[in-house]
Each structure stands twice: as C-alpha cells, then as structure tokens.
Amino acid sequence: MMFDESGASVGLAANSRLQASLAFDDVSKFASQIDPKQKTIKRYRNFLRVDENAAKLKVFAADSTKLDGENLSCVLIDEYHAAPDNKVYAVLRSSQGSRKNPLLLVISTVGFNLAGPMKKMYDTDCEILNGVKEDDNRFIAIYQMDEGDNWEDENNWIKHSPNLGESVSIDNLRVYQR
C-alpha cells in the first residue's frame, strides 16, 4: 500500500457546492471511463468510493464550520479567488495533519478581490519563485504574460492560457480581452 496508509480521502471544495460539483462531475466521468461497470469505483450522487482500500472522494461546500474531522489525504480547492477569507483553506489543510504525505491543490485565477486570500497566496508564490522567500514544500505554476508584453497581441495569450485552442476558445478570450 502506498505510504503504508489506507483510506485515502480526497475532498473537492469550492466557494459553492455547484462549483465543487462541476469538478466532481469531471472526476465521475473519468471514473466511469476507467470502471464503467463500477466493479471497483462505486459512484454515488456526491462521492466516489473504492471498497478494497477504503478510499473515497467527496464534494464540500465552502462552509468552514462543517468541515472539521475529515482527515483528508488530498484536497482540491477550485476557484479560490472567490473565497472571502482563508477559513475553508485553513480547516481543510488542518484536516491533513495526521496524513503521512498530504497533498493540497489550489486551482484559480487571482480574480478581482485584491484583498482576498488568493491574491495573498499569489504574492507569496511570486516571492518564492523570485527567491525572496523559500518554501520547498510548494509546487507553484503561474501562467501569465511577462511584464511589458502587449496584452492586445494574441500571440501572447498562450502565456496566460496554456490550454488555448483546447479547453479555452480564442474567440471567447477575444470577447473578454477587447
């Protein structure tokens, strides 16, 4: 068993149950492709379960008062830029305290709330990437244009949207960029 730890528990969280459910729908579809007859991966309305190793994947709404005691081995927080504070992040991170090799992923744009927790995380991550701070426990991937790049030049858009032409439509970006 990986890391001598059974009962992997994965949590998908976002600022609304609807947003977290969108991520769950993608994971559920993927599970259906791997195990269409549900012999190993059992699919339920809001969670997946693997009985042979007691693993589960659940969706969480962004109510930090209802997240204690989860003991999560992996957490995915989607669209963190919309979070009003870091309470959900903090309680989900603390739920990993007894795990030997926990993983916490945050997927987001910086968004418009420049006083919010995502902007603070972005600033810290930039300091780490620029050598101002050190944190070997973080993997950081930031997709953005370089300083001085012309934002109107469509050739630069691949820098902030690396999946351009795949899951991101250039026509859709044109609407928002102009």
Side-chain angles (χ1 to χ4, degrees), residues 1-6 100-101:
M1 201 160 311
M2 185 179 251
F3 307 113
D4 293 327
E5 192 172 41
S6 66
K100 293 180 182 178
N101 196 25

Side-chain angles (χ1 to χ4, degrees), residues 43 78 152 154:
R43 291 181 301 284
D78 193 21
E152 294 178 312
E154 292 184 9

Side-chain angles (χ1 to χ4, degrees), residues 40-113:
T40 303
I41 305 171
K42 310 289 187 213
R43 291 181 301 284
Y44 299 91
R45 189 171 132 182
N46 291 320
F47 69 97
L48 301 176
R49 189 179 75 220
V50 178
D51 289 332
E52 71 180 339
N53 63 1
K56 61 187 175 245
L57 179 139
K58 299 190 277 184
V59 175
F60 297 111
D63 183 351
S64 62
T65 64
K66 297 178 180 175
L67 297 175
D68 284 323
E70 289 296 331
N71 190 26
L72 298 168
S73 48
C74 180
V75 174
L76 171 65
I77 301 175
D78 193 21
E79 302 299 353
Y80 189 48
H81 72 274
D85 52 47
N86 75 338
K87 289 179 182 175
V88 169
Y89 178 96
V91 74
L92 291 174
R93 178 68 188 104
S94 71
S95 79
Q96 298 181 302
S98 66
R99 293 295 182 159
K100 293 180 182 178
N101 196 25
L103 177 63
L104 190 146
L105 304 159
V106 175
I107 301 173
S108 186
T109 61
V110 172
F112 300 106
N113 181 3

